[in-house]
C-alpha cells in the first residue's frame, strides 16, 4: 500500500463531492447528457478518503470504478442530484462540485418510446436549477469549491462564476487545451479564490490535481479553525 505525505490531513472532516454527468431523460430509452467521465471528481473522492476524510460521493453517469472507502449516492438527473446534495449539505465541512450538470432538461418526459412520425421535430428544454448556486446561498460554515469548464476568457468567466455562486475556491480548466478536460487522464487547471488566482498548475494527472486541490483545502480549513 502506498503512503502519501498528505495522509490524515482531513481526518474528522466531512467532504461531499459531486462527479460525473447528469442525465436527462427524453423517453425510456433516450436522454441528453455530456462527455464527463467522472475521472476528476472520482480522483478527488479517492484522495479525500486517503487523507482521512469522511467522503460522500454524489455521482451521476461515469465510466470509472468507485474508489474504496467512500459513501456512494447515485443521482441520475439534475433534480435528483440537487436533492441528494441539499439534503446532505448541512453537516458537511467541504462541498466540491466537480459534476458536469446539464444546464437544460426536456420540458416533457415521455412515458413510452417516441415513434418517428413527423419529418421534423422540435424539443422544448427548460433550465435546470443551479445546484452550486443553491449550495452557495445556503452554506454556513462549509468551504464550497466549484468547477468551471471554459473554451475562452477563462479568468473572466471563472471569477464571475466564483462570485455569482459564492464559492470559496473555483477550479477552472480550458477544455480546448490538449491534456485538459473531459475524458482525459490529465488536467491543466487554475484555482481561484475571491481575491483572484491562487495557483496555476501545469499539466498533471487528475490524481495529482486532486491531491494539490485537497491540500489547499486542508490549509484553509486549518486556518479557519485557528
Ligand atoms: N453547476 C451546478 N448546477 C448547474 C450547472 C452547473 O451545480 N445546473 C456547477 C458545476 O458543477 C460546476 C459549476 O457549477 O461546479 C460551473 O459549471 P459550468 O457549466 O462551468 O457553469 P454554468 O454556471 O453552468 O455556466 P455556463 O455553462 O453557461 O458556462
Ligand atoms: Ca453549464
Amino acid at each position: 500500500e502506498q503512503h502519501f505525505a498528505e495522509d490524515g490531513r482531513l481526518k474528522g472532516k466531512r467532504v461531499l463531492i459531486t462527479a460525473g454527468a447528469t442525465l436527462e431523460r427524453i423517453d425510456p430509452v433516450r436522454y441528453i447528457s455530456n462527455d464527463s467521465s467522472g475521472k476528476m471528481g472520482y480522483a478527488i473522492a479517492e484522495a479525500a478518503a486517503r487523507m482521512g476524510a469522511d467522503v460522500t460521493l454524489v455521482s451521476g453517469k461515469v465510466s470509472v470504478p468507485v474508489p474504496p472507502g467512500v459513501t456512494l449516492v447515485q443521482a441520475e438527473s439534475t433534480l435528483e442530484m440537487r436533492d441528494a446534495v441539499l439534503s446532505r449539505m448541512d453537516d458537511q465541512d467541504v462541498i466540491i462540485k466537480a459534476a458536469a450538470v446539464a444546464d437544460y432538461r426536456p420540458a416533457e418526459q415521455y412515458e413510452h418510446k417516441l415513434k418517428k412520425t413527423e419529418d421534423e421535430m422540435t424539443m422544448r428544454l427548460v433550465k435546470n436549477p443551479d445546484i452550486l448556486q443553491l449550495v452557495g446561498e445556503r452554506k454556513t460554515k462549509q468551504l464550497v469549491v466549484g468547477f468551471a469548464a471554459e473554451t475562452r476568457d477563462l479568468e473572466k468567466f471563472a471569477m464571475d462564476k466564483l462570485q455569482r455562486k459564492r464559492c470559496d475556491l473555483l477550479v477552472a480548466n480550458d477544455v480546448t487545451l490538449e491534456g485538459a478536460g473531459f475524458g482525459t487522464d490529465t488536467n491543466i487547471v487554475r484555482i481561484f479564490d475571491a481575491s483572484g488566482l491562487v495557483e496555476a498548475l501545469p499539466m498533471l494527472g487528475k490524481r495529482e490535481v486532486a491531491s494539490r486541490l485537497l491540500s489547499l483545502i486542508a490549509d484553509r480549513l486549518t486556518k479557519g479553525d485557528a
Side-chain angles (χ1 to χ4, degrees):
E1 193 182 310
Q2 258 182 295
H3 286 275
F4 297 84
E6 331 76 86
D7 282 6
R9 284 196 66 201
L10 288 173
K11 205 165 167 41
K13 299 296 181 190
R14 296 174 63 83
V15 179
L16 184 147
I17 297 148
T18 72
T22 61
L23 182 158
E24 307 295 350
R25 287 263 157 223
I26 299 168
D27 72 15
V29 296
R30 302 186 178 97
Y31 57 80
I32 297 176
S33 192
N34 62 66
D35 284 333
S36 169
S37 61
K39 279 178 188 165
M40 191 63 249
Y42 274 47
I44 296 169
E46 184 174 14
R50 202 180 60 223
M51 289 167 73
D54 180 344
V55 178
T56 303
L57 177 58
V58 176
S59 179
K61 180 176 71 64
V62 298
S63 56
V64 284
V66 181
V70 311
T71 302
L72 181 71
V73 179
Q74 304 263 22
E76 184 178 88
S77 66
T78 300
L79 296 180
E80 282 172 24
M81 185 174 279
R82 174 200 59 192
D83 294 344
V85 171
L86 294 185
S87 65
R88 288 172 179 82
M89 75 171 275
D90 291 343
D91 61 352
Q92 300 294 328
D93 298 296
V94 181
I95 297 171
I96 305 175
K97 286 244 48 200
V101 180
D103 291 331
Y104 294 90
R105 67 178 183 277
E108 290 163 279
Q109 279 185 21
Y110 295 90
E111 187 187 345
H112 293 288
K113 187 180 169 215
L114 290 171
K115 288 292 182 192
K116 55 170 192 292
T117 48
E118 313 301 323
D119 284 340
E120 272 184 40
M121 74 175 282
T122 304
M123 192 166 56
R124 204 161 61 85
L125 303 177
V126 293
K127 206 184 230 172
N128 267 326
D130 191 311
I131 305 170
L132 182 55
Q133 189 151 356
L134 293 171
V135 166
E137 282 163 12
R138 208 170 117 167
K139 72 172 178 182
T140 49
K141 53 164 189 177
Q142 294 90 350
L143 194 141
V144 175
V145 184
F147 272 73
E150 305 294 349
T151 57
R152 62 189 165 98
D153 295 328
L154 184 87
E155 168 141 20
K156 177 176 161 284
F157 286 127
M159 287 306 287
D160 174 63
K161 281 174 191 169
L162 182 131
Q163 279 151 11
R164 198 155 33 89
K165 307 188 188 205
R166 301 177 55 196
C167 298
D168 298 285
L169 290 171
L170 191 119
V171 183
N173 61 71
D174 179 342
V175 292
T176 65
L177 296 176
E178 187 82 33
F182 287 158
T184 56
D185 287 318
T186 55
N187 212 351
I188 307 166
V189 307
R190 282 190 251 167
I191 303 173
F192 297 87
D193 72 5
S195 55
L197 184 67
V198 177
E199 263 191 70
L201 298 178
M203 179 160 64
L204 295 169
K206 284 185 173 172
R207 291 174 158 208
E208 183 62 28
V209 173
S211 304
R212 304 261 192 125
L213 173 65
L214 286 164
S215 116
L216 200 70
I217 290 169
D219 289 344
R220 293 189 177 219
L221 289 176
T222 332
K223 269 188 213 148
D225 287 346

